[in-house]
Amino acid sequence: MTLFLVSVRSNEEAQIAVAAGADAVVVSRQRPDAFIPTVPTLIVDVAANLLTPAVDGPSIAIGEDASHGLVIIRETAPTEADLDAIVEAGRSGIMLAAAGRLVDTLGLAALDDIASRCRSRGLLVGFCGGLESPDISRLLTFKPDILLVGRALRVAHRSDAPLDPDAIALFRGLFPQPTATTRPAKTPAKTPAKTEERPRRRRDRIFVRDMVLEIDVGAYAEEFGRRQRVRFSIEAEIEAIDHPTRDMRDVVSYDLLTDTIRQVAGVGHVEFVETLAETIAARILGHPRIGAVHVTVEKLDLGAGVVGVDIWREAGG
């Protein structure tokens, strides 16, 4: 579960945010100095002092009095030594922050890598810094524990404007909600009734076609150490909504497709285009609204023709 945190300036704004759907609020005056949980979760319980600024620079200095909570790291990616020090200090995790847009400052590939390295150490990871509604679905693919939103939840996206409850409700709808599981009641056995024909579901597709990147790929010795042009095309099948598109809650953005291509293509040398296609398909099918995906990966620099692979995969298949 990813928590939806809202940055507020007063107790009055906190009440507005909670009523509109925030999981928790951070009261920000001169600095984040108060944390108010609104739902009982393990993540909310990690600390009374949620955010503790760390010293900016090549290494992260942690205050001696820090005993829990998250270390806030601004404008830089933590090193392996930084994360080990945070674990050693007994902190619960990190909050990556940026004065501008975090997505632009560090890049999606770096955020994915940082989230993975935090999880491998049992650290929580949160993101904040200029987050807008299209960023939420992009960042949720990295399974962060916390997303903290500020200016985008204010009228006209102005930092000096009041909170906009409608904007908070819109963001709330972008976060997947936990589903309650109930044990089915036992019923006496009865003669099975005739199965009614199920109505056909309406389906839409989002796609990216002919996206070309230079990447490290190939199994032959001559292909190591030189980049090749590779073309990616993806079609993802989604279940259609039953009303006209109104806002980001109704959209599965094609950013999911282009982001996934860039992330998978940027991990280093990959021997087989089949590996690229399978990894891309698996990540895209992690989105709850996507039921099937068609991925084409083509190598363009091996001669007069084009070689590659086409795969089709379904969710749960």
Side-chain angles (χ1 to χ4, degrees):
M1 175 181 174
T2 299
L3 289 186
F4 172 34
L5 266 67
V6 175
S7 176
V8 301
R9 299 196 187 100
S10 65
N11 290 335
E12 291 76 15
E13 286 196 343
Q15 293 175 4
I16 294 172
V18 169
D23 289 324
V25 297
V26 173
V27 183
S28 302
R29 294 182 179 91
Q30 299 301 316
R31 61 180 181 84
D33 59 359
F35 175 66
I36 305 173
T38 65
V39 293
T41 72
L42 292 175
I43 299 171
V44 168
D45 293 336
V46 297
N49 299 323
L50 180 66
L51 305 178
T52 299
V55 176
D56 297 339
S59 62
I60 306 302
I62 306 170
E64 294 180 0
D65 60 344
S67 59
H68 52 271
L70 305 181
V71 176
I72 185 168
I73 301 175
R74 299 184 184 278
E75 313 287 341
T76 188
T79 66
E80 295 292 300
D82 293 334
L83 295 180
D84 290 340
I86 290 169
V87 172
E88 183 66 23
R91 305 312 298 269
S92 297
I94 67 171
M95 177 70 82
L96 290 171
R101 281 174 50 80
L102 178 72
V103 170
D104 295 334
T105 301
L106 292 182
L108 291 167
L111 296 177
D112 187 14
D113 174 65
I114 294 165
S116 177
R117 290 192 285 127
C118 284
R119 281 194 297 272
S120 71
R121 291 170 167 81
L123 291 172
L124 302 176
V125 61
F127 299 144
C128 67
L131 301 187
E132 300 182 29
S133 56
D135 296 323
I136 301 304
S137 60
R138 304 170 79 182
L139 295 175
L140 285 175
T141 62
F142 309 147
K143 298 180 174 57
D145 299 287
I146 296 167
L147 292 180
L148 173 60
V149 187
R151 186 173 60 183
L153 302 178
R154 297 187 176 274
V155 174
H157 287 203
R158 288 176 46 190
S159 58
D160 59 346
L163 279 178
D164 181 352
D166 290 338
I168 297 172
L170 187 154
F171 271 75
R172 169 75 275 166
L174 299 175
F175 286 73
Q177 302 302 303
T179 55
T181 57
T182 57
R183 182 178 299 176
K186 292 184 178 180
T187 55
K190 57 177 68 175
T191 304
K194 290 184 178 180
T195 303
E196 295 183 4
E197 185 177 347
R198 298 176 61 184
R200 295 183 62 186
R201 292 184 297 175
R202 296 167 53 240
R203 292 180 176 177
D204 296 335
R205 289 183 180 180
I206 59 173
F207 61 87
V208 56
R209 294 180 182 141
D210 301 330
M211 181 173 173
V212 178
L213 299 176
E214 287 193 354
I215 67 173
D216 297 312
V217 63
Y220 289 101
E222 64 184 27
E223 295 181 289
F224 283 78
R226 71 178 182 91
R227 298 170 73 80
Q228 300 183 54
R229 291 179 304 139
V230 177
R231 182 165 60 206
F232 299 87
S233 296
I234 302 174
E235 289 189 359
E237 187 178 86
I238 60 176
E239 189 160 350
I241 56 176
D242 58 3
H243 55 266
T245 300
R246 295 175 300 209
D247 53 46
M248 282 300 302
R249 288 170 290 188
D250 298 329
V251 171
V252 180
S253 175
Y254 51 75
D255 285 332
L256 172 67
L257 310 184
T258 56
D259 289 347
T260 302
I261 291 171
R262 290 191 180 96
Q263 291 153 24
V264 173
V267 298
H269 191 92
V270 177
E271 291 194 20
F272 306 110
V273 291
E274 289 83 355
T275 303
L276 291 170
E278 290 280 3
T279 306
I280 289 170
R283 291 199 181 193
I284 291 172
L285 288 173
H287 192 288
R289 279 187 60 192
I290 293 182
V293 65
H294 172 206
V295 181
T296 303
V297 183
E298 301 168 290
K299 296 170 74 172
L300 306 180
D301 293 336
L302 289 186
V306 174
V307 299
V309 63
D310 258 332
I311 68 169
W312 290 259
R313 297 292 183 269
E314 294 185 358

